[in-house]
C-alpha cells in the first residue's frame, strides 16, 4: 500500500461510516500507519466521533503538527488518549532518530496541549509518550520516563523496534544487545 497515491477520507464518508458502525465500536484509533494530524479536517473527525460515545478514542502522532486548534478539539470533544511517539529523551538523539524533526517545536506543542487541558479543566485526553527501543536510544529510557513525568504524561509505552529490511536499520535492533535490553 506504500506505493499507492495519497488518499484522504472525506468528512462525508467518515460521517456515513460513523452512522453505520460507530454505535458498535469499543475503541477508535485515528492512526493506522500514518500521521493523523496531516489531515486538514482532523478536528472535525474528532467532533464527529464524539457524538457516538465510543469508550476509547485515541490517536498516535509524532506531535509536530499538534496545533492549539487541534488540541482544543481533542479536549472539548472528549478524546481519551493522545500518544506521541518521541523515541528519545535528548534533542540530539531525537534529531538522529527522527530526521528533520523539530525538538523545540514538539516540546512547545506538548506544553501547550497540557496548558489547554488545564485551561478547560479537563484531564483528558491522557498524554502517553511512545519510545521505540533501539541501540541508539535504549540507555535514555530512564531519562525518557522522567521527561514524560515532567510533561504530565500518564503512561510511557516502550516497544521493540521491528527491523524492517527496507529501512536498512537491522543493526539497531535491541535483540543484538540483549544484556542491556533485558
Amino acid at each position: 500500500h506504500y506505493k499507492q497515491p495519497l488518499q484522504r477520507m472525506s468528512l462525508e464518508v467518515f460521517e456515513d461510516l460513523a452512522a453505520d458502525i460507530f454505535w458498535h465500536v469499543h475503541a477508535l484509533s485515528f492512526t493506522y500507519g500514518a500521521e493523523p494530524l496531516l489531515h486538514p479536517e482532523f478536528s472535525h473527525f474528532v467532533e464527529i466521533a464524539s457524538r457516538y460515545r465510543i469508550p476509547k478514542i485515541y490517536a498516535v502522532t509524532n506531535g509536530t503538527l499538534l496545533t492549539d486548534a487541534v488540541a482544543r478539539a481533542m479536549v472539548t470533544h472528549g478524546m481519551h488518549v493522545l500518544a506521541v511517539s518521541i523515541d528519545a529523551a535528548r534533542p540530539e538523539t531525537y534529531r538522529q532518530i527522527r530526521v528533520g524533526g523539530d525538538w523545540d517545536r514538539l516540546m512547545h506543542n506538548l506544553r501547550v496541549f497540557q496548558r489547554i487541558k488545564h485551561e478547560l479543566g479537563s484531564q483528558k485526553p491522557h498524554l502517553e509518550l511512545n519510545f521505540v527501543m533501539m541501540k541508539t536510544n535504549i540507555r535514555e529510557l530512564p531519562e525518557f520516563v522522567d521527561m514524560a513525568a515532567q510533561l504530565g504524561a500518564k503512561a510511557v509505552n516502550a516497544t521493540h523496534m521491528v527491523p524492517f529490511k527496507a529501512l536498512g536499520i537491522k543493526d539497531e535492533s535491541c535483540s543484538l544487545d540483549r544484556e542491556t535490553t533485558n
Side-chain angles (χ1 to χ4, degrees), residues 46-101:
V46 174
E47 187 273 324
I48 292 166
S50 72
R51 297 177 199 157
Y52 294 89
R53 300 179 189 226
I54 298 169
K56 184 176 182 181
I57 300 173
Y58 65 99
V60 180
T61 175
N62 65 27
T64 58
L65 299 176
L66 182 59
T67 64
D68 291 22
V70 169
R72 282 189 190 284
M74 291 175 175
V75 175
T76 58
H77 296 299
M79 204 165 101
H80 301 96
V81 176
L82 176 66
V84 180
S85 299
I86 300 176
D87 308 326
R90 302 176 193 155
E92 59 275 8
T93 308
Y94 174 81
R95 289 184 195 101
Q96 181 181 355
I97 294 170
R98 297 200 167 256
V99 177

Side-chain angles (χ1 to χ4, degrees), residues 122-157:
S122 180
Q123 293 295 313
K124 292 184 181 172
H126 292 298
L127 177 64
E128 297 182 358
L129 298 186
N130 294 338
F131 188 92
V132 176
M133 298 180 295
M134 55 190 91
K135 287 169 60 176
T136 296
N137 67 1
I138 190 67
R139 286 175 173 45
E140 290 182 27
L141 186 53
E143 289 174 64
F144 187 83
V145 172
D146 291 340
M147 180 186 77
Q150 290 169 2
L151 290 168
K154 296 292 183 190
V156 167
N157 304 307

